């Protein structure tokens, strides 16, 4: 029990080396799976634990035993717990689309293939006498890649559940195994996992989990690559919180959102700067207020602003009314220059009731981009605005018919 | 224009807002004092041109004051300040200095989807000369500062025109 659990713990340790989170999660699940299986029964740890698992796996899909199982000593398991465990494995297969079983199988078979050179053992699990920690150096040695074979290996797993393709993976496993035995390369499956990983990522969801191996650690490029991608994912996530409407479906749409939001903010700045025209006289007291940090400037500020406000309101409205008679465009421009816009009464009242603020209203309507509560105005003001609009001869941009009455 | 920054400006948006507001108001004040144009006569074309110039000046002042409020710690603020300085020194030359050394990670597989990355680089000042990871960082901070800038400007507008 001990070595097995340790091995699976080691297998969990190598999860960080994995390329894909999915793979790591699935491997963890796999790690838990045998533990679960083990927990249900007691047995003497065999000389090689892979035999035990082999028994499980071989008993489940079909009667055909693994051809290379003959190499090893017959397992010393009891039949009953094996059956129990096999049934559990079957359950898992059924529930998870045989991914875990396939992974187990793969690891088993690959390790078997690598049994010829114990140093190059890819996985700690199957060999009880091996070092638990994955030997990273073995991965480096695996530069010879039988891409096709390993791809076939993975592709064989990708086709359906275990029960369906029980024969196929075996055959596939045959070839890479023999070839691996021939080359004696240990982690050959590992870097090859890159390509199946790449191809698997384009495949469907159930295919992806079975592909990447821990051998990603070999290639410094891939490590840096992965780190970079993780960092980018982190940043995207933090950006997602900043940007509104951020449901990160995928990176491209997220980038689009970000770009649009930046453009929107820059546009806001532009519009706000366009509206500064009337603020000359009022800015000075604000500056004084700011620099003194709100000590005594408040009184002067409010006084000045209130004066300006009273004056500016009516002036603005008369101006707008006048302009609208001549030319709507210039009227809108004038309003825009003030940071204002025309809106129907219903909208104004809706906003004002929604915000329920009774602040001093900026003339006639919302400032153009004002989403705050300070915007609009008491209904009377909107009435005046719309009144002047009707005087002007009907405002095409108003959606509702302007009504003079107080809403 | 020195304000004591006890807190880290990048983590404290309120301090950024305060500093930005101060500088921006001062800039506008200077602008008003220099121009001394009182009422905008809307009919004449020159007035419109002046208005546009003033708008642009105000917008430039906004970005400049935001960049100076942020300080030289961020790449985009450095780029903005550099641009302004260049513009002041030689009125013609834009910030070509910033864009020469483009150190982009050559990774064809990754983020160059539909030129979004390039677009983002164009949007964020100083975005040409950094890798994508750093660009995302800068974009985040830039968005925060832009948002603060908009809020402050809106408040100023609200107080000054009511």
């Amino acid at each position: 029990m001990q070595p097995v659990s340790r091995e699976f713990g080691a297998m969990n340790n190598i999860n960080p080396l994995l390329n894909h989170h999915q793979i790591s999660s699935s491997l963890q699940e796999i790690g838990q799976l045998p533990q679960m299986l083990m927990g249900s029964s007691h047995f003497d740890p065999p000389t090689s634990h892979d035999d035990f698992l082999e028994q499980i796996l071989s008993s489940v899909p079909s009667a055909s035993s693994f051809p290379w199982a003959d190499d090893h000593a017959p397992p010393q398991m009891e039949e009953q717990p094996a059956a129990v465990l096999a049934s559990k494995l079957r359950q898992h297969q059924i529930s998870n689309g045989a991914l875990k079983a396939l992974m187990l199988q793969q690891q088993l078979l690959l390790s078997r293939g690598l049994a010829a050179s114990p140093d190059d053992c890819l996985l700690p699990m199957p060999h009880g006498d091996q070092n638990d920690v994955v030997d990273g150096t073995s991965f480096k040695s695996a530069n010879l890649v039988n891409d096709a074979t390993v791809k076939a290996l993975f592709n064989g797993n990708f086709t359906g559940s275990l029960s369906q393709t029980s024969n196929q993976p075996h055959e596939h496993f045959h070839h890479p195994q023999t070839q691996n035995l021939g080359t004696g390369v240990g982690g050959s499956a590992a870097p090859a996992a890159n390509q199946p990983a790449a191809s698997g990522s384009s495949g469907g969801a159930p295919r992806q989990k079975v592909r990447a191996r821990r051998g990603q650690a070999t290639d410094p490029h891939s490590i840096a690559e992965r780190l970079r991608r993780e960092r980018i994912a982190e940043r995207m996530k933090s950006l997602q919180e900043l940007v509104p409407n951020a449901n990160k479906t995928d990176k491209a749409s997220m980038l689009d959102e970000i770009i649009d939001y930046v453009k929107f903010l820059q546009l806001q700045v532009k519009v706000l700067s366009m509206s500064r025209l009337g603020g000359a006289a009022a800015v000075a007291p604000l500056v004084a207020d700011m620099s003194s940090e709100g000590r005594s400037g408040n009184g002067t500020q409010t006084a000045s602003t209130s004066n300006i406000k009273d004056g500016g309101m009516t002036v603005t409205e008369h101006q707008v009314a006048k302009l609208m008679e001549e030319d709507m465009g210039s009227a809108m421009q004038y309003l825009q220059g003030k940071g204002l816009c025309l809106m129907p009464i219903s909208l104004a009242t809706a906003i004002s009731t929604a915000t329920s603020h009774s602040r001093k209203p900026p003339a006639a309507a919302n400032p153009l981009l004002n989403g705050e509560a300070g915007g609009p105005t008491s209904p009377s003001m909107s009435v005046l605005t719309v009144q002047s609009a009707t005087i002007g001869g009907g405002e095409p941009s108003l959606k509702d018919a302007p009504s003079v009455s107080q809403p | 224009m020195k304000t004591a920054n006890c807190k880290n400006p990048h983590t404290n948006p309120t301090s950024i807002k305060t500093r930005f507001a101060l500088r921006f108001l001062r800039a506008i004040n200077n602008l008003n004092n220099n121009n001394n144009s009182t009422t905008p006569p809307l009919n004449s074309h020159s007035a419109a041109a002046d208005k546009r110039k003033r708008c642009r000046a105000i917008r430039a002042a906004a970005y400049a004051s935001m960049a100076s409020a942020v300080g030289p710690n961020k790449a985009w603020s450095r780029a903005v300040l550099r641009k302004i300085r260049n513009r002041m020194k030689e009125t013609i030359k834009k910030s070509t200095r910033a864009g020469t050394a483009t150190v982009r990670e050559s990774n064809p597989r990754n983020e160059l989807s539909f030129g979004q990355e390039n677009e983002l680089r164009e949007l964020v000042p100083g975005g040409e000369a950094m890798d994508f990871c750093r660009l995302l960082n800068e974009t985040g901070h830039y968005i925060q500062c832009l948002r603060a800038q908009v809020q402050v400007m809106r408040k100023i507008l609200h107080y000054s025109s009511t």
Side-chain angles (χ1 to χ4, degrees):
Chain A
M1 197 67 150
Q2 248 311 332
V4 174
S5 54
R6 250 184 335 153
E7 283 167 348
F8 289 125
M11 196 163 67
N12 288 334
N13 286 339
I14 63 169
N15 283 335
L17 299 178
L18 286 176
N19 195 8
H20 233 271
H21 301 297
Q22 292 175 353
I23 304 304
S24 62
S25 61
S26 66
L27 261 191
Q28 269 178 356
E29 290 169 337
I30 291 174
Q32 291 161 10
L33 163 64
Q35 279 172 354
M36 233 189 51
L37 296 178
M38 300 304 178
S40 63
S41 73
H42 300 289
F43 56 91
D44 297 330
T47 53
S48 54
H49 300 285
D50 45 5
D51 293 329
F52 167 65
L53 284 165
E54 209 180 62
Q55 279 290 302
I56 298 178
L57 295 172
S58 58
S59 63
V60 168
S62 63
S64 66
S65 58
F66 292 16
W68 44 85
D70 302 331
D71 302 339
H72 298 262
Q76 303 151 9
M77 297 300 108
E78 310 167 11
E79 275 310 313
Q80 187 158 22
V84 168
L85 297 164
S87 65
K88 289 219 167 153
L89 183 62
R90 204 180 287 116
Q91 281 179 3
H92 267 272
Q93 290 173 3
I94 294 172
S95 62
N96 296 320
L99 293 174
K100 297 170 187 167
L102 281 175
M103 279 296 289
L104 278 173
Q105 237 186 6
Q106 271 186 21
Q107 290 165 357
L108 254 185
L109 301 172
L110 277 178
S111 67
R112 231 163 255 301
L114 314 173
S117 52
D119 318 337
D120 299 334
C121 172
L122 184 60
L123 305 164
M125 170 180 74
H127 291 269
D129 49 356
Q130 288 290 328
N131 199 1
D132 286 344
V133 180
V134 171
D135 187 9
T137 59
S138 69
F139 299 145
K140 287 177 197 154
S141 65
N143 284 329
L144 306 178
V145 174
N146 296 328
D147 292 353
T149 62
V150 185
K151 247 188 221 172
L153 182 79
F154 287 114
N155 289 335
N157 294 330
F158 291 167
T159 57
S161 66
L162 180 62
S163 53
Q164 294 175 4
T165 62
S166 54
N167 293 323
Q168 295 174 16
H170 297 177
E171 293 159 8
H172 282 292
F173 291 149
H174 252 298
H175 301 294
Q177 208 229 349
T178 51
Q179 293 192 16
N180 284 339
L181 276 176
T183 58
V185 174
S188 64
N194 282 334
Q195 275 133 6
S199 60
S201 62
S202 55
R207 302 182 168 193
Q208 284 174 349
K209 295 191 181 172
V210 200
R211 90 198 106 92
R213 311 305 302 278
R214 291 166 288 173
Q216 307 301 353
T218 62
D219 199 3
H221 264 315
S222 59
I223 291 183
E225 181 64 30
R226 198 172 10 92
L227 279 179
R228 176 177 177 268
R229 239 177 284 146
E230 280 168 8
R231 247 184 295 147
I232 287 183
E234 266 177 65
R235 305 267 162 75
M236 295 284 291
K237 226 180 295 179
S238 61
L239 273 175
Q240 185 181 351
E241 296 160 19
L242 276 180
V243 176
N245 309 329
N247 37 355
K248 180 179 181 178
T249 49
D250 64 292
K251 209 182 299 181
S253 64
M254 196 58 220
L255 270 179
D256 276 332
E257 279 291 333
I258 293 172
I259 289 175
D260 285 338
Y261 191 56
V262 172
K263 282 192 197 161
F264 167 68
L265 287 175
Q266 287 176 340
L267 182 63
Q268 267 190 316
V269 171
K270 179 175 179 192
V271 170
L272 280 172
S273 69
M274 277 168 49
S275 65
R276 293 274 167 231
L277 301 180
V283 167
L286 282 180
V287 176
D289 182 29
M290 285 266 355
S291 47
S292 67
E293 291 188 344
R295 260 178 301 177
S296 59
N298 281 333
T300 54
Q301 172 191 343
T302 49
S304 62
T305 50
S306 61
N307 288 341
I308 291 178
K309 165 245 169 188
D310 288 336
M313 207 65 75
T314 49
V315 164
T316 305
E317 296 206 284
H318 289 322
Q319 278 273 357
V320 169
K322 219 189 317 173
L323 281 172
M324 274 202 272
E325 290 162 11
E326 319 168 14
D327 171 25
M328 275 318 302
S330 63
M332 299 312 291
Q333 218 175 359
Y334 178 69
L335 272 181
Q336 215 178 14
K338 292 257 171 216
L340 307 170
C341 72
L342 279 179
M343 66 164 48
I345 293 185
S346 48
L347 181 57
T349 48
I351 295 178
S352 67
T353 49
T355 57
S356 69
H357 260 113
S358 58
R359 261 195 259 172
K360 300 206 171 117
N366 280 334
L368 191 58
L369 293 166
N370 190 6
E372 297 169 10
T377 73
S378 54
S380 57
M381 294 318 237
S382 5
V383 170
L384 282 175
T385 306
V386 180
Q387 253 181 351
S388 48
T390 51
I391 293 172
E395 169 54 68
S397 66
L398 287 181
K399 292 181 193 131
D400 300 340
S403 64
V404 176
S405 62
Q406 278 235 2
Chain B
M1 216 177 277
K2 291 178 202 146
T3 48
N5 305 338
C6 309
K7 305 176 190 170
N8 185 4
H10 309 301
T11 58
N12 195 352
T14 31
S15 79
I16 283 190
K17 277 191 193 175
T18 316
R19 290 203 314 276
F20 164 69
L22 188 56
R23 288 160 209 248
F24 184 51
L25 288 170
R26 284 201 193 131
I28 291 190
N29 228 7
N30 292 339
L31 207 61
N32 294 337
N33 293 339
N34 292 342
N35 287 351
N36 284 336
S37 64
T38 50
T39 57
L42 294 165
N43 307 332
S44 60
H45 286 291
S46 65
D50 285 341
K51 204 196 322 180
R52 258 173 286 149
K53 214 192 297 183
R54 183 187 157 88
C55 292
R56 258 178 269 135
I58 292 178
R59 187 171 67 157
Y63 283 123
S65 31
M66 179 44 95
S68 73
V70 164
N73 297 335
K74 284 291 177 180
W76 66 266
S77 61
R78 281 197 298 268
V80 170
L81 293 171
R82 210 183 305 139
K83 206 186 301 185
I84 293 172
R85 259 181 251 132
N86 291 346
R87 205 176 290 166
M88 279 166 51
K89 284 178 191 173
E90 309 129 18
T91 54
I92 306 172
K93 191 182 293 184
K94 295 284 184 175
S95 66
T96 50
R97 288 194 275 166
T100 47
T102 56
V103 184
R104 295 193 202 176
E105 283 189 33
S106 57
N107 199 353
R109 213 174 357 165
N110 232 333
E111 268 66 45
L112 289 178
S113 46
F114 312 108
Q116 290 168 324
E117 178 185 347
N118 299 330
E119 209 176 341
L120 197 56
R121 282 178 198 272
E122 290 171 24
L123 282 178
V124 176
E128 294 87 7
M130 22 170 132
D131 51 343
F132 190 68
C133 204
R134 186 137 179 250
L135 179 67
L136 287 182
N137 246 358
E138 298 284 325
T139 304
H141 191 256
Y142 187 56
I143 285 180
Q144 276 180 327
C145 292
L146 272 182
R147 216 190 264 169
Q149 189 174 347
V150 164
Q151 285 172 0
V152 171
M153 285 170 82
R154 240 187 231 165
K155 287 261 172 68
I156 291 179
L157 174 66
H158 175 72
Y159 285 132
S160 70
S161 66
T162 49

